[in-house]
Amino acid sequence: MPRFSIVVPSHGVAGRLSLALDSVLAQSFGDFELIPVCDEPDAPAADVVAGYAERDSRVTPVRSPPSAGLAGARNTGLKAAVGGHVLFLDGDDVLVPGALAALDARLSAVGDVDVLYFEHERTPWWEGEPTNPAAPLLARTPDGAFSPGRAPQLTGVTLPAWSAVHRRAFLSEQGLSFPGDHFTDVGFGGLVTLRAERVATLRAVVVRHLLRRQGNRLGLPGEHHAELLDQTELVLTRAAEQDLPADRLKPLFEQLFAAVLKTAAHPRRLTSGRRAFFRRASALYRRHRPAGYRAPGGSVGVQHRLLASGSYAAFRSLRAANRTASRAAALLPRPRGLRTRLRYAAALRLPLDRNLVVYCAYWGRGYACNPAAIHAKARLLAPQLRSVFLVEPDAVSSVPPGVEYAVIGSRKYWQVLARAKYLVNNANFADAVVKRPGSVHLQTQHGTPLKTMGADQATYPVVAAATGSFARLLARVDRWDYNLTSNRHSTEMWERAFPSAHETLEYGYPRNDVYCTASAEDVARVRKELGVPDGKKALLYAPTHRDYATGFETGLDLAEFCEAIGDDYVVLMRAHYFYDQGSSRGGGRIIDVTGHRSSEDVCLAADALITDYSSIMFDYANLDRPIVVYADDWDVYRETRGVYFDLMELPPGRVARTPEELAAAFRDGSWADATATSLRAAFRERFCQFDDGRAAERVVRRVLLGEPPESIPPVIPLAERAPAPAAPFVRS
């Protein structure tokens, strides 16, 4: 029997879960079993956990449905546990180094206790000093093992479940489990302390609680706050049943109703049903108030007295008097120009147009990418919706005939942004755009992240300086309702890079649908439009942007490369979209396709891709055509920009470090040999998970038509897809 069973619920924390699991497996004390609780076999966290279970026999995953919530996940893990003591660790928290050794030593010193409480550190997700909220409470407890009556302030209701280790036999004998769905720590902690006979404390930090930028889920608005009263009633009823002494009942009562009053006074938490919440709380207060109880002084005491008397009107007036005008000030629109601000503010007072959808791609560069693919599909599946594409003045020509558009900065631009029910973007709307209640913002993204993104860029000075204010960036992220991903890797990385409360849609990238739906005729048409000669193989060369470089530099002499590989090839050169302005850089066997509107068309025309670290490789892999990585400055790029995985260890095909190696790969055929094919297959398995040709349909049905998740078409398995055919090749 292991010394410890460590239960780790994983729902909604795939991006951080590896930190939690690593912190356990790296402990110097190794006598434990690690029980990650996954919600579904194909959930993001399940993929993370599966890798750990393969590598370490101490990792024994179990499953609990999402509907069971946190309480159900912990209870499932508890039933599977066989260790002597159980520790509950949330999936986005970590054990500090030496934590298990310290717990083992303390348990050995104090003997057979039911519960050992310990300190925890609350670490701000971005800035600020860590805090240790349990330290003052535990500092006033006896040194050795003691009965709960000797420390009445230690009620259990103010400490999270992961701030204690429990003797498993004690939980089993007492029939203790996590009650309810929400605020389960309140109920569980209170019941544990009521039933425990011997407890002890460890005045040292064991768990580091990594605060989520989007805050605790319990702090979000909703009807779930009524469950705080359920947990309060449960604990106080059990206390009454065992005739808890007055010296223990008073702090228990006071701590529970401190949380109740905080919720009752918080206008954002109780968006409806405030009166009903207050009345029920008032009834509980009067029923369980200890004999001779005296309310605390000050404003809190006033709230106690109003709750005891059931005076909701007076309580509401007190709450209104204490409220500041900060929320109203934060909602003031701030576009440039007084006249524009006034017009936008006036439009914001009008009702939302529930049939209006606004699209934008690449900050208005044109009709492109995922927003364009969603727009096209919406015209077929939801013709009742009015769609407006936002473009810069010099990009108006990119808008296809029949597509309504608005020039960025114009009066129409601000009008549609103020009134639209749905807003779709692959980047972000301007800072001045207000997220109206009832509106739906869909972030489609425009690539799979190899390089660091969002908040993860902060530790790379060159990139951080170019990014600007991360606070403003994350304020824009807070407007998102949905975020689209094309593979499980993206799901995990976006959760880290853009922490917020939005919902992730693992539907694939709509722009990549064409890689499964295009025909041989489509490929031939695009090649003709781009000027690819008949009988030639087209190699797409698409390097990415360097944050440490000024201007566009290919890093490769394309004329020399063409000369070295022979006459069977032409090169389609596509610079990063940051450099799509200016004169053509082509000539001869080099065709400059940087200015072509659709990167998808360019990929369809190409027989192979040559890139460095551009995310185009993830999209092109859907075509199952050869990819060669030209990595002449990988070490510099990795250290300057930061990357999420080592591309040299997981490449989509052959890797060349010098122009000579690159040319040799095409002369000797290794660019498309069995090794290259095997590497590409593994890459596709990891990064082409959801791009099956129906991504746009899934997005339109779920986001724009509001269909339930269970009715959305499932993703077609990779092995069953048929990528668009490459052009036939006849050697000249």
Side-chain angles (χ1 to χ4, degrees):
M1 179 176 68
R3 177 66 149 162
F4 298 107
S5 294
I6 304 169
V7 177
V8 186
S10 64
H11 179 65
V13 292
R16 286 182 169 186
L17 181 59
S18 60
L19 298 177
L21 302 183
D22 287 341
S23 76
V24 176
L25 295 174
Q27 292 289 312
S28 58
F29 184 91
D31 186 16
F32 62 81
E33 62 171 349
L34 177 56
I35 308 176
V37 186
C38 305
D39 46 12
E40 298 291 350
D42 60 346
D47 285 352
V48 176
V49 168
Y52 282 89
E54 291 177 2
R55 297 190 296 270
D56 198 311
S57 61
R58 294 173 298 178
V59 181
T60 55
V62 295
R63 293 178 187 165
S64 176
S67 58
L70 176 62
R74 287 175 173 169
N75 289 334
T76 299
L78 179 58
K79 290 178 182 177
V82 297
H85 291 80
V86 183
L87 174 65
F88 299 98
L89 182 70
D90 280 0
D92 51 359
D93 296 339
V94 297
L95 291 181
V96 301
L100 295 184
L103 289 176
D104 175 67
R106 183 60 173 162
L107 288 170
S108 299
V110 298
D112 195 22
V113 295
D114 297 324
V115 190
L116 175 65
Y117 296 101
F118 49 76
E119 297 175 7
H120 63 272
E121 186 176 83
R122 294 170 61 87
T123 305
W125 85 276
W126 189 255
E127 293 180 343
E129 293 296 322
T131 60
N132 187 344
L137 178 64
L138 301 187
R140 294 180 288 156
T141 59
D143 289 334
F146 57 91
S147 65
R150 293 182 59 196
Q153 76 278 6
L154 190 61
T155 66
V157 300
T158 60
L159 291 175
W162 37 261
S163 198
V165 62
H166 305 82
R167 186 166 59 88
R168 186 172 62 85
F170 159 71
L171 297 179
S172 177
E173 293 163 1
Q174 296 295 329
L176 291 170
S177 61
F178 288 87
D181 295 324
H182 298 89
F183 301 96
T184 186
D185 283 13
V186 174
F188 180 76
L191 296 179
V192 164
T193 308
L194 288 174
R195 296 291 181 85
E197 296 181 358
R198 295 183 78 248
V199 301
T201 60
L202 171 61
R203 300 188 188 102
V205 172
V206 171
V207 170
R208 183 168 291 122
H209 175 53
L210 306 178
L211 295 173
R212 296 162 59 93
R213 176 178 177 269
Q214 54 269 46
N216 191 311
R217 296 184 183 93
L218 297 180
L220 298 175
E223 298 178 356
H224 63 277
H225 287 283
E227 294 183 42
L228 174 59
L229 299 181
D230 295 339
Q231 302 289 357
T232 299
E233 183 173 17
L234 172 64
V235 173
L236 290 175
T237 299
R238 295 287 176 83
E241 291 173 353
Q242 69 182 59
D243 196 20
L244 194 69
D247 63 334
R248 291 187 61 190
L249 181 58
K250 178 183 175 182
L252 177 64
F253 176 87
E254 200 159 78
Q255 290 174 19
L256 285 169
F257 275 97
V260 170
L261 284 169
K262 184 177 181 180
T263 298
H266 202 302
R268 294 182 182 177
R269 293 183 182 178
L270 292 170
T271 55
S272 62
R274 297 188 190 119
R275 185 184 297 272
F277 182 94
F278 186 88
R279 286 178 174 173
R280 185 183 170 197
S282 178
L284 286 174
Y285 189 98
R286 292 192 296 270
R287 185 185 316 149
H288 293 284
R289 179 172 48 188
Y293 176 74
R294 296 183 61 182
S299 176
V300 174
V302 174
Q303 294 183 37
H304 271 260
R305 288 189 285 275
L306 292 176
L307 187 63
S309 63
S311 304
Y312 176 70
F315 184 86
R316 183 177 58 184
S317 299
L318 176 65
R319 182 185 63 202
N322 293 332
R323 196 177 308 161
T324 67
S326 59
R327 181 181 179 188
L331 291 177
L332 286 176
R334 299 187 183 277
R336 293 181 179 179
L338 177 60
R339 184 176 298 179
T340 302
R341 287 201 300 269
L342 293 175
R343 286 174 179 161
Y344 184 50
L348 288 172
R349 291 194 292 268
L350 299 174
L352 285 175
D353 184 341
R354 300 191 176 279
N355 288 317
L356 176 58
V357 190
V358 170
Y359 298 87
C360 190
Y362 298 117
W363 304 275
R365 285 180 56 248
Y367 185 85
C369 197
N370 291 318
I374 296 170
H375 171 272
K377 184 62 69 173
R379 298 179 79 179
L380 297 175
L381 298 181
Q384 74 277 12
L385 298 178
R386 175 193 173 198
S387 299
V388 180
F389 227 94
L390 307 181
V391 292
E392 290 287 356
D394 58 359
V396 169
S397 60
S398 75
V399 181
V403 174
E404 185 179 356
Y405 67 89
V407 175
I408 291 178
S410 67
R411 178 185 299 185
K412 180 179 179 181
Y413 166 82
W414 289 109
Q415 286 176 339
V416 296
L417 281 174
R419 299 289 310 280
K421 163 78 172 180
Y422 305 99
L423 296 95
V424 181
N425 207 325
N426 74 348
N428 263 309
F429 290 100
D431 290 345
V433 173
V434 173
K435 174 68 165 73
R436 297 186 61 180
S439 65
V440 177
H441 285 237
L442 169 65
Q443 168 60 252
T444 72
Q445 303 294 348
H446 53 269
T448 291
L450 166 62
K451 57 180 177 283
T452 55
M453 302 292 291
D456 288 337
Q457 297 173 350
T459 55
Y460 296 91
V462 173
V463 188
T467 300
S469 169
F470 284 95
R472 293 172 63 183
L473 167 66
L474 294 171
R476 296 190 290 270
V477 171
D478 284 341
R479 297 186 301 214
W480 302 354
D481 292 287
Y482 298 104
N483 185 35
L484 203 58
T485 75
S486 59
N487 47 61
R488 190 56 50 76
H489 164 78
S490 295
T491 299
E492 297 173 21
M493 297 309 105
W494 293 147
E495 181 182 314
R496 284 177 43 180
F498 302 116
S500 190
H502 54 261
E503 179 181 349
T504 296
L505 299 179
E506 292 183 321
Y507 286 175
Y509 282 162
R511 71 180 186 190
N512 291 344
D513 284 353
V514 68
Y515 298 141
C516 291
T517 60
S519 64
E521 290 74 18
D522 295 323
V523 173
R525 172 185 54 78
V526 172
R527 287 170 66 92
K528 184 175 181 180
E529 290 176 0
L530 296 178
V532 178
D534 292 337
K536 299 289 187 182
K537 279 194 175 295
L539 307 179
L540 172 59
Y541 177 55
T544 193
H545 166 66
R546 281 2 182 230
D547 297 277
Y548 50 86
T550 302
F552 174 69
E553 298 178 4
T554 65
L556 179 68
D557 188 321
L558 292 179
E560 289 186 4
F561 172 69
C562 288
E563 185 68 24
I565 62 176
D567 294 336
D568 287 337
Y569 303 94
V570 296
V571 173
L572 305 176
M573 186 187 70
R574 187 171 180 84
H576 189 274
Y577 59 79
F578 285 178
Y579 312 109
D580 65 351
Q581 305 297 320
S583 59
S584 171
R585 291 170 285 262
R589 290 165 56 195
I590 303 170
I591 304 172
D592 190 346
V593 295
T594 302
H596 190 76
R597 177 182 63 83
S598 170
S599 62
E600 295 77 55
D601 280 358
V602 174
C603 287
L604 284 173
D607 297 285
L609 170 68
I610 303 172
T611 187
D612 41 22
Y613 326 118
S614 170
S615 66
I616 198 172
M617 71 178 78
F618 301 99
D619 306 309
Y620 190 82
N622 286 286
L623 289 168
D624 199 15
R625 301 178 192 173
I627 302 173
V628 178
V629 175
Y630 178 57
D632 60 330
D633 61 346
W634 169 248
D635 294 333
V636 175
Y637 185 87
R638 177 178 57 185
E639 293 193 14
T640 305
R641 176 62 203 233
V643 295
Y644 287 121
F645 67 92
D646 190 342
L647 183 64
M648 301 302 101
E649 293 184 0
L650 298 167
R654 290 289 187 177
V655 176
R657 294 278 194 165
T658 66
E660 293 75 20
E661 289 181 5
L662 182 64
F666 284 90
R667 286 197 306 268
D668 63 22
S670 60
W671 65 286
D673 64 8
T675 298
T677 301
S678 176
L679 291 170
R680 185 170 74 252
F683 191 84
R684 279 167 47 81
E685 190 72 27
R686 183 178 182 186
F687 296 111
C688 298
Q689 290 169 293
F690 310 137
D691 289 336
D692 64 348
R694 301 190 69 179
E697 178 186 352
R698 283 190 281 269
V699 171
V700 171
R701 292 192 182 281
R702 176 71 190 283
V703 178
L704 302 184
L705 295 178
E707 295 183 8
E710 58 270 16
S711 70
I712 304 303
V715 174
I716 299 171
L718 185 63
E720 298 177 17
R721 302 175 204 165
F729 174 65
V730 178
R731 184 176 296 276
S732 60

